[in-house]
Amino acid sequence: MARSLQELFIESRGQPVQVGGVLVRQGDVLPITKGRVTIRFLRGQAKDHGVRLETKNGWIELTDGSRAMVVDTWRSPEFPDEISYRVSCPQKDLDMWNIYRLFHTGGLVTEDMWTGGAGMVLLEGCPNRRVYGCSAGGSGEFAPDTLVVEVEWHEE
């Protein structure tokens, strides 16, 4: 790929782009108002890769009962491969995208999204369940098999 996904997404103004015969997106929107969302990491060993959930004017409830509008869930051997959150999304959608940590020279670590070769491919889609192949960004090439994650949601 001559140009990075980041460049292609800037050109498309964030709309999905065709790369190597597949449709690549920056993120997705889950149609849910109030209920439960479950994230399952199916494949991928990079502990510095995960997904972000974000709701506008609503909340995502953490396991300790606290609530936030943005929650990052990281794939890591010390964490379970599956986690569920209660959500309330008054605007009837929950945004989701791929996140990753980049390790820079000098020891600086950043948590990024949508840079370089970062993107998501929809591998399977059902009315309340989707499986995505996610590629971390930075200077690497697009590699949607870096992290495979299933997201399932149910209204209450």
Side-chain angles (χ1 to χ4, degrees):
M1 182 168 67
R3 294 185 299 157
S4 72
L5 274 175
Q6 181 177 357
E7 293 168 312
L8 295 174
F9 285 131
I10 289 170
E11 198 173 275
S12 75
R13 297 186 175 194
Q15 294 303 305
V17 296
Q18 286 283 335
V19 175
V22 296
L23 190 64
V24 183
R25 61 188 79 211
Q26 287 184 300
D28 207 358
V29 178
L30 310 178
I32 186 168
T33 303
K34 191 167 187 174
R36 183 164 294 279
V37 174
T38 301
I39 297 170
R40 291 181 192 92
F41 293 112
L42 303 179
R43 289 192 306 273
Q45 296 305 313
K47 70 176 186 171
D48 296 302
H49 204 165
V51 295
R52 174 172 287 177
L53 300 176
E54 182 174 337
T55 181
K56 294 169 187 67
N57 303 319
W59 49 261
I60 303 164
E61 189 173 87
L62 304 175
T63 55
D64 67 359
S66 63
R67 293 178 175 174
M69 291 175 64
V70 178
V71 172
D72 294 343
T73 304
W74 296 96
R75 168 74 169 105
S76 185
E78 59 267 15
F79 299 139
D81 286 339
E82 179 177 310
I83 188 163
S84 292
Y85 302 104
R86 288 187 57 235
V87 300
S88 175
C89 307
Q91 294 182 317
K92 301 180 177 155
D93 58 29
L94 182 67
D95 296 326
M96 187 205 105
W97 61 86
N98 170 33
I99 57 172
Y100 42 89
R101 291 187 181 105
L102 294 178
F103 298 86
H104 305 275
T105 56
L108 177 66
V109 178
T110 58
E111 294 180 355
D112 288 357
M113 63 204 90
W114 307 322
T115 62
M120 298 170 45
V121 175
L122 181 64
L123 301 174
E124 294 177 32
C126 299
N128 70 326
R129 184 184 70 83
R130 296 179 187 157
V131 178
Y132 302 93
C134 301
S135 175
S139 60
E141 290 295 315
F142 176 62
D145 57 349
T146 306
L147 179 70
V148 177
V149 62
E150 175 185 71
V151 181
E152 187 173 359
W153 62 95
H154 298 280
E155 291 282 348
E156 288 181 344

